[in-house]
Amino acid sequence: KGEAIIDVPYELAMNLGRESSDPTLPATTLLQDYCGWISGGGGVGGAKEGGAQRQHKRRDDGPYYQMLPPYLGSDCLGSTDFFTDDALEALQFPSIRDETLRRRHQTAL
């Protein structure tokens, strides 16, 4: 207890912001960047971002993304964020359904 499992040097850590108890915005930012990377667009840190390169991020996060489970792969099945509408309605806990719908509303484009 209290022992570090992994040490990430400050320079290599991903800055996802400071959203305290609600991870919706940082998770959305990470997901957008990751999806940009897997689609070949480079994401936030890559060569393309809507035709322009973002200047504030200068490193390649590809090695990080290569270690993540595949987007919409079997690891996503346990998260209600990836449930179909029918599966959400079948949940026995309305508070979980409501929280998921709130997150979907916050991240809708």
Side-chain angles (χ1 to χ4, degrees):
K1 185 173 180 175
E3 182 181 340
I5 297 172
I6 185 172
D7 289 320
V8 177
Y10 179 81
E11 302 81 31
L12 299 177
M14 296 181 84
N15 182 358
L16 299 177
R18 303 176 122 189
E19 294 299 316
S20 66
S21 64
D22 185 1
T24 303
L25 183 60
T28 301
T29 302
L30 177 64
L31 185 58
Q32 287 173 338
D33 193 30
Y34 176 68
C35 288
W37 176 78
I38 62 174
S39 68
V44 174
K48 299 180 212 169
E49 179 69 24
Q53 185 174 7
R54 286 197 188 178
Q55 296 299 317
H56 71 280
K57 191 169 181 182
R58 301 180 194 269
R59 69 162 196 251
D60 175 21
D61 288 331
Y64 287 101
Y65 297 138
Q66 289 172 348
M67 296 176 66
L68 293 175
Y71 179 59
L72 296 179
S74 61
D75 290 312
C76 295
L77 298 178
S79 171
T80 57
D81 292 320
F82 300 98
F83 281 22
T84 64
D85 290 338
D86 290 339
L88 259 181
E89 289 301 320
L91 289 175
Q92 295 179 0
F93 298 101
S95 61
I96 294 173
R97 182 197 67 228
D98 294 344
E99 179 183 332
T100 302
L101 293 174
R102 180 183 55 77
R103 281 195 307 271
R104 283 184 183 176
H105 178 70
Q106 285 179 326
T107 59
L109 298 175

